[in-house]
């Protein structure tokens, strides 16, 4: 039996009177690309922040490889193989693209002190170069990240999440604000990374063509609740989902 990589059980998080996440349960299987869709404010980012130790859930459990990680912080989760991209760009504009990638991996290693005593480059440069080639950003690798187009910065941002060689990557709106001509390229890249690393991804995105094409299964959230979980074909044919979200 294939144990799920990630199990979320009855997760709840409220902000005052707002039940941002109201009892969400789902599994992500090894190698799976799992989509999370839903209207603005339906709790998708709050769910991610709980899964990443950024906020502590009020109730519920998160199991990674069968172990309860619900109360661990972001650094510990990163060490256990969870990577992420944020809804907003996190690149350092004044640093080169390549240095952004190297620093992203060093963060994962922990304290500044730990990094200062870490032996030199220790393979990080080679790993950054491999990702730079895979992401087709070699021609801008030595430019300051802030000088790139928004779409290219978004690619750097996604590449940064892969520097720590995570088993599970959570991507919050990888296509947001990106020129439509780049969206297909992001999808192709994520498919390649999924195949070559057998990594699992959870992807929040409003671009339905992207989600339907990329994801193996999709969860629909509405007002902090799970409305449906299924394959893209099942979600497309779900009347309740069409009425609440896709039909609009
Ligand atoms: N730090 C916070 N303090 C108070 N309320 C919050 C906070 N973060 C989120 N909320 C509220 O919780 C609800 C869920 O927000 P969340 O950001 O998780 O939604 P989302 O599905 O990611 O939306 P979007 O698609 O717009 O990114 C919203 O009503 C939001 O206003
Ligand atoms: Mg969000």
């Amino acid at each position: 039996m294939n144990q799920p990589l990630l199990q979320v059980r009855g997760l709840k998080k409220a902000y005052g009177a707002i039940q941002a996440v109201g009892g969400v349960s789902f599994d992500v299987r090894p190698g799976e690309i799992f989509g999370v869709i839903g209207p603005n404010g339906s709790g998708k980012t709050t769910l991610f922040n709980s899964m990443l130790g950024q906020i502590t859930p009020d109730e519920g459990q998160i199991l990674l490889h069968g172990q309860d990680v619900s109360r661990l912080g972001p650094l510990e989760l990163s060490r256990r193989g969870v990577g992420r991209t944020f809804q907003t760009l996190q690149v350092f504009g004044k640093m080169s693209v390549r240095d952004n990638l190297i620093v992203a991996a060093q963060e994962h290693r922990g304290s500044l002190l730990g990094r200062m005593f870490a032996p030199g480059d220790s393979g990080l440069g080679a790993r950054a170069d491999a990702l730079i080639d895979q992401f087709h950003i070699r021609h801008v690798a030595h430019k300051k990240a802030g000088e790139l187009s928004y779409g290219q910065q978004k690619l750097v941002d996604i590449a940064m999440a892969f520097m720590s060689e995570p088993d599970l990557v959570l991507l919050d709106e990888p296509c947001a604000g990106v020129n439509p001509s780049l969206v297909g390229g992001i999808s192709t890249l994520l498919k390649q990374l999924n195949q070559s690393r057998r990594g699992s991804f959870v992807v929040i995105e409003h671009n339905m063509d992207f989600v339907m094409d990329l994801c193996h299964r999709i969860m629909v959230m509405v007002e902090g609740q799970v409305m449906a979980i299924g394959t893209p074909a099942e979600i497309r044919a779900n009347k309740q989902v069409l009425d609440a979200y896709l039909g609009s």
Side-chain angles (χ1 to χ4, degrees), residues 101-121:
L101 289 176
I102 290 170
V103 166
Q106 285 172 334
E107 265 173 19
H108 162 85
R109 294 191 174 170
S111 70
L112 187 60
L113 206 64
R115 277 185 250 160
M116 282 162 59
F117 290 101
D121 208 17

Side-chain angles (χ1 to χ4, degrees), residues 15 18 20 38-47 87 172-173 204 206:
Y15 292 109
I18 299 170
N40 292 117
S42 55
K44 304 180 299 295
T45 296
T46 306
L47 174 70
Q87 196 165 347
D172 198 348
E173 303 199 18
I204 297 176
H206 288 287

Side-chain angles (χ1 to χ4, degrees), residues 91 122 153:
V91 298
S122 53
Q153 289 190 49

